[in-house]
Structures are given as structure tokens and as C-alpha cells.
């Protein structure tokens, strides 16, 4: 390798450690993890009467459903249940929070034919039909999936455990609905369901999402989608909401290196040592600010980060961020959420003869994903990207041989016949340019209209 090429390839790392590239490691298959379901055993509220309550359990959305007490449900583990009929076929709906689009989900539950006093033998003898609807192609059954409970005698439960439905989510926080398919449009006798569980193989972390183009926020009231601005307004007051950080999709990373300060071109024959102050600033990004620009067409103040334009929302995100980092009291932490970071360093660099040198910074950043929750019914998925307070930036002194243009620029200051004109480097005065009282820099005496007379030396007397 030539000396020039070796210099071009050389990188000196300042203020950090030298990182050697390692061969990529194949990504491991995603492991199935629990996808929590709110009120999964439909135990809240507790039904204390002998007859069913004509209301869905807490954190579920129900239409034409009944909430059965333990004794009437007859579940072997003493669970309450929900009937999918109440004066006709009904539906029971929930959302699987923190399940991202692309995740593979399996939902399980228990079912039984109804034990309601109004049931007839022909309604329960051959089982009762219902279906499960979820946003995404099923991996195990038709869409929507059809299910039938076990046949039983009138007034007697016949519970089946481990009924399941698998699908690949086509939306974030997918909605799943259980719907009765009993034919009698006025019957109170419908299938019973309880003990809901869910597992997911999480979708990959979206590392390629760019800071200025983060995924749009998604907002919900109970299980229905609402405009994000409604939840932002509700949360932007002291202690109105709490932020729950999603560790799975939050991560730390080094951003692209970028040049800071000025380049130093050494046109001399000696090494030059240069001490220079270097300043740079890291700015925050968040999908709430981007949402108001792209969707609402009413941007927040573009000169202000979120901690100034939506101060209370930023405080809540920062509090949830530090709690998730192991600091439940939100006091001094080794990793605070920094919405803005301005840095200054004084660096001493050495530039070899015939080389150009500059400094690059590779900033440390945090990608934070989570949910703003306002009890009992509002949720807002938020993504922010901010400078990190947990680990330091990297500094690089880059050096390399001068390019042809830089070499020519170094020669541009030499006043001789080979001095380049303005086509290389900074513009210079051409010969023949009309100038009053001045001689063009690039002109020779013979081109300037001056007289040329040879100088005759004075004869000295011969020496003796």
C-alpha cells in the first residue's frame, strides 16, 4: 500500500475507544412473550347477584353481552364469564396493547355453552357457534375463525380450555372481537367465554426509521381510534398522564458521523499542530411535533423542542423514561432524558505536510417508544429521539492527502507563470482586466503595455 493511500485510510479516534468492525451475527428468531390483556379473567367487577349483569366487564367493550357470576358460569376454576348474547347476538372486544404491526400473535381462552335459565335444549345440545375477528391473516384457521362450544345439557356448563386463534397483526395494538353467531336474533342464550391469554412473537425493532420521519402517533379512547390531538390536549397539564416506556422498542445508538468545525489544509513542508474549539448541538425529534406539522397542518413552534412547546407532556415522558431506567423516585439519575444538548470541546490535532484534516462527531442518542396513559380510557403511543445522557459522543480526527483541487489551491498563492487562473480555487484577476491604477495580479510586464529597457551596468575602472 502506498504511503498516500495509507494516510487516506488512517483515522485517529479522539475521546473514545477504537471500534473494530465485526462480522454480522445472524439475527436470532424472536421468542414468544406474553401480550398482556386487561382484565383477562373478566373478574372485575365482581358480579355478586345470582343473575347475570347486562354490562361488559371493565376494560372490555361489549354490545349485547352479559357478565355471568362465578356460580352461574360453572367454570371449574371458579371464574366469572361473559355471554355473547343478551336479547340477541352480541360482541365482546378488546385490544392487545403494545403489540406492533407484523407481530405473530396467538390468543387463547376457555368456552362453554350457556347455562342461562332461558336456554332450550336445542340451543345447547349441539354446542353454540361464535367467531373471532382480528386484523391480519390467520396462521391456523380461516378469517374470521369459526368456533363451536361443546354440546351439553340444558343448564349445565361444558368448558373447553385452550381454544386458540393465531394471526399476524396488520395494525399496532390490534383489536380482537368475539362475536356470537347464534341464529336466534332475540335469544339470551349464547356462548360463554373467559380466561383470555395472548402470546406474541414481536415484530423486529424498526431501526431504520429516520429521526425526521418517525411513525405517526396513534391515540385511543377505550378501544376506538381517536385523533392524537385530543389526547395531547388532555395530557398537557400537570400529572394528567403517565408515560409507560416500551423497553422492547426503545434503544440507544450512535448516529451518523458528521463534520464539525473547519477543515485544516496544510500547504507547508512541516507538520502543523492546531488547537481548535469545536462546538455542536444535538436536537430532539418526536412524532407529536411531526404529527402537528404533517396531519393537523398547525405546527407547534418549530424553533422549540417538545419540552418547551408541550412542557407537561415532555415532563411526563421524561418521568416515565427515568422510572423505566430503574429510578422510581425520578431523582438524580445516570441517564436523564435530555431534550437538548449543546457541547463544546477544545481539541488539539496534528496535520502532516500535504494533508487535509477535519474533525467529525458521532453523537450518542436514545430512541424512546412508549405510551401516554390517562386513566381510565385514553392512550397515546409516542416515539421520541433525543440526545443521550447515558454514554458519550465519539470524536474522530480525519486526515488524508490533498485532492488535485486542494493541491492547485496551495499553488495558487505562488506568484509565477504557472499560477492557476480563476477556474481553480478562488477567482483571481485576469490579464487584460480593466483596472485603474492597478496592475492585474496574473499579468506579466510585457502584457501590461509598459516599456522594457535593458539595464546597462556601470563600468568600473580597471583594477590595478
Amino acid at each position: 500500500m502506498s504511503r498516500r493511500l495509507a494516510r487516506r485510510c488512517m483515522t485517529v479516534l479522539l475521546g473514545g475507544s477504537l471500534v473494530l468492525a465485526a462480522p454480522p451475527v445472524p439475527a436470532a428468531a424472536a421468542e414468544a412473550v406474553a401480550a398482556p390483556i386487561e382484565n383477562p379473567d373478566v373478574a372485575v367487577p365482581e358480579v355478586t347477584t345470582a343473575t347475570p349483569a347486562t354490562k361488559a366487564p371493565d376494560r372490555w367493550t361489549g354490545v349485547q353481552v352479559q357478565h355471568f357470576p362465578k356460580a352461574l358460569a360453572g367454570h371449574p376454576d371458579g371464574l366469572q364469564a361473559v355471554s355473547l348474547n343478551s336479547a340477541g347476538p352480541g360482541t365482546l372486544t378488546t385490544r392487545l396493547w403494545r403489540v406492533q404491526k407484523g407481530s405473530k400473535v396467538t390468543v387463547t381462552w376457555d368456552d362453554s355453552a350457556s347455562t342461562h335459565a332461558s336456554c332450550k335444549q336445542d340451543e345447547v345440545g349441539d354446542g353454540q357457534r361464535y367467531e373471532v375477528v382480528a386484523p391480519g391473516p390467520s396462521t391456523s384457521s380461516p378469517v374470521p375463525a369459526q368456533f363451536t362450544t361443546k354440546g351439553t345439557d340444558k343448564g349445565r356448563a361444558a368448558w373447553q380450555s385452550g381454544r386458540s386463534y393465531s394471526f399476524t397483526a396488520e395494525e399496532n395494538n390490534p383489536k380482537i372481537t368475539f362475536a356470537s353467531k347464534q341464529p336466534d336474533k332475540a335469544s339470551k342464550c349464547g356462548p360463554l367465554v373467559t380466561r383470555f391469554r395472548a402470546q406474541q412473537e414481536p415484530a423486529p425493532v424498526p431501526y431504520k426509521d429516520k429521526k425526521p420521519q418517525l411513525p405517526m402517533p396513534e391515540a385511543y379512547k377505550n378501544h376506538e381510534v381517536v385523533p392524537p390531538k385530543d389526547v395531547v390536549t388532555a395530557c398537557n397539564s400537570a400529572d394528567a398522564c403517565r408515560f409507560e416506556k416500551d423497553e422492547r422498542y426503545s434503544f440507544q445508538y450512535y448516529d451518523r458521523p458528521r463534520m464539525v468545525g473547519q477543515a485544516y489544509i496544510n500547504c507547508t513542508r512541516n507538520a502543523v499542530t492546531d488547537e481548535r474549539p469545536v462546538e455542536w448541538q444535538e436536537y430532539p425529534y418526536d412524532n407529536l411535533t411531526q404529527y402537528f406539522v404533517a396531519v393537523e397542518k398547525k405546527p407547534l413552534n418549530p424553533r422549540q423542542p417538545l419540552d418547551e412547546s408541550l412542557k407537561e407532556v415532555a415532563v411526563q415522558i421524561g418521568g416515565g423514561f427515568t422510572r423505566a431506567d430503574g429510578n422510581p423516585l425520578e431523582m438524580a439519575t445516570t441517564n436523564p432524558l435530555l431534550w437538548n444538548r449543546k457541547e463544546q470541546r477544545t481539541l488539539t490535532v496534528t496535520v502532516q505536510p500535504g494533508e487535509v484534516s477535519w474533525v467529525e462527531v458521532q453523537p450518542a442518542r436514545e430512541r424512546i417508544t412508549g405510551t401516554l396513559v390517562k386513566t381510565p380510557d385514553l392512550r397515546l403511543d409516542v416515539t421520541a429521539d433525543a440526545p443521550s445522557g447515558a454514554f458519550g459522543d465519539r470524536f474522530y480526527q480525519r486526515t488524508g492527502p490533498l485532492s488535485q483541487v486542494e493541491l492547485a489551491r496551495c499553488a495558487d498563492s505562488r506568484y509565477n507563470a504557472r499560477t492557476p487562473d480563476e477556474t481553480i480555487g478562488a477567482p483571481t484577476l485576469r490579464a487584460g482586466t480593466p483596472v485603474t491604477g492597478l496592475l492585474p495580479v496574473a499579468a506579466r510586464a510585457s502584457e501590461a503595455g509598459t516599456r522594457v529597457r535593458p539595464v546597462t551596468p556601470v563600468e568600473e575602472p580597471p583594477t590595478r
Side-chain angles (χ1 to χ4, degrees):
M1 181 183 292
S2 68
R3 185 178 180 184
R4 172 169 293 187
L5 182 58
R7 285 181 177 176
R8 181 183 296 273
C9 298
M10 182 181 67
T11 298
V12 180
L13 180 63
L14 304 178
S17 59
L18 183 62
V19 178
L20 301 179
V25 178
E31 295 184 2
V33 296
I37 295 178
E38 295 180 298
N39 196 10
D41 295 333
V42 297
V44 182
E46 182 180 358
V47 181
T48 57
T49 60
T51 57
T54 56
K55 181 181 178 181
D58 289 357
R59 311 310 306 145
W60 291 79
T61 298
V63 177
Q64 290 277 57
V65 297
Q66 300 177 79
H67 196 183
F68 273 42
K70 297 176 183 179
L72 184 59
H75 192 280
D77 292 333
L79 302 180
Q80 297 186 147
V82 176
S83 169
L84 299 180
N85 276 60
S86 176
T91 59
L92 183 68
T93 299
T94 190
R95 280 191 182 271
L96 304 179
W97 304 118
R98 294 194 178 181
V99 173
Q100 298 292 308
K101 180 179 179 180
S103 299
K104 296 179 181 179
V105 183
T106 298
V107 180
T108 61
W109 64 96
D110 297 352
D111 69 7
S112 171
S114 181
T115 58
H116 198 279
S118 67
C119 288
K120 302 173 183 177
Q121 182 60 38
D122 61 354
E123 290 181 299
V124 298
D126 295 326
Q128 296 184 301
R129 295 185 296 113
Y130 63 100
E131 68 181 17
V132 178
V133 184
S138 171
T139 58
S140 60
S141 57
V143 180
Q146 306 289 329
F147 293 88
T148 303
T149 68
K150 191 176 181 180
T152 186
D153 295 332
K154 174 184 174 182
R156 195 171 184 180
W159 285 98
Q160 298 180 99
S161 298
R163 307 306 301 270
S164 68
Y165 178 66
S166 299
F167 65 98
T168 300
E170 288 188 341
E171 66 181 22
N172 296 329
N173 307 307
K175 180 192 287 188
I176 185 166
T177 298
F178 296 80
S180 172
K181 302 304 290 183
Q182 287 296 99
D184 191 337
K185 301 301 181 183
S187 175
K188 294 183 179 180
C189 185
L192 300 178
V193 287
T194 191
R195 189 151 59 187
F196 299 92
R197 301 292 187 269
Q199 292 278 321
Q200 65 164 323
E201 293 180 13
V205 179
Y207 292 116
K208 293 187 177 181
D209 286 347
K210 298 183 183 298
K211 301 189 298 293
Q213 299 173 337
L214 296 171
M216 286 290 100
E218 298 181 18
Y220 306 88
K221 183 172 184 180
N222 290 321
H223 302 120
E224 298 305 316
V225 176
V226 296
K229 66 177 181 180
D230 294 352
V231 184
V232 171
T233 301
C235 286
N236 197 31
S237 57
D239 301 322
C241 299
R242 70 180 186 277
F243 182 75
E244 298 176 352
K245 180 183 175 184
D246 191 340
E247 296 285 358
R248 185 179 300 115
Y249 294 99
S250 300
F251 55 91
Q252 299 171 337
Y253 70 100
Y254 277 112
D255 206 355
R256 292 181 179 179
R258 70 176 187 270
M259 179 178 172
V260 291
Q262 300 170 333
Y264 200 117
I265 299 174
N266 186 357
C267 294
T268 73
R269 297 182 181 181
N270 302 306
V272 175
T273 299
D274 175 38
E275 185 177 278
R276 64 182 80 170
V278 177
E279 293 184 0
W280 74 98
Q281 187 166 0
E282 287 300 304
Y283 295 97
Y285 297 81
D286 66 89
N287 61 354
L288 298 182
T289 302
Q290 294 169 13
Y291 159 79
F292 280 97
V293 172
V295 179
E296 295 297 326
K297 309 300 182 184
K298 295 179 181 179
L300 304 171
N301 190 331
R303 301 179 185 85
Q304 293 180 338
L306 191 72
D307 60 331
E308 296 179 19
S309 57
L310 292 172
K311 183 176 180 180
E312 294 301 333
V313 168
V315 168
Q316 293 154 18
I317 295 174
F321 175 81
T322 53
R323 279 195 296 271
D325 198 45
N327 189 351
L329 299 180
E330 302 180 52
M331 296 187 297
T333 175
T334 57
N335 186 21
L337 180 55
L338 303 177
W339 292 101
N340 245 329
R341 180 155 59 83
K342 191 172 184 178
E343 302 286 351
Q344 180 175 354
R345 298 286 187 278
T346 299
L347 303 178
T348 300
V349 298
T350 300
V351 191
Q352 298 300 320
E355 286 193 340
V356 60
S357 174
W358 65 97
V359 173
E360 291 180 357
V361 62
Q362 191 175 15
R365 298 189 66 88
E366 300 257 4
R367 180 69 56 87
I368 304 106
T369 299
T371 305
L372 280 167
V373 180
K374 184 176 176 62
T375 306
D377 56 357
L378 293 179
R379 299 177 66 93
L380 176 66
D381 288 349
V382 178
T383 302
D385 194 295
S388 178
F391 60 114
D393 299 333
R394 291 169 169 170
F395 305 93
Y396 299 85
Q397 178 193 349
R398 301 280 191 188
T399 62
L402 301 183
S403 67
Q404 292 300 317
V405 173
E406 290 165 340
L407 286 169
R409 187 70 187 104
C410 282
D412 198 26
S413 60
R414 299 288 299 276
Y415 184 54
N416 56 31
R418 292 186 300 277
T419 300
D421 63 11
E422 78 281 0
T423 61
I424 298 178
T428 57
L429 294 173
R430 290 196 189 117
T433 303
V435 179
T436 304
L438 294 175
L439 181 66
V441 172
R444 292 192 295 271
S446 60
E447 298 172 348
T450 58
R451 290 180 298 170
V452 179
R453 181 172 63 86
V455 177
T456 303
V458 178
E459 294 185 4
E460 295 183 357
T463 59
R464 294 183 182 183

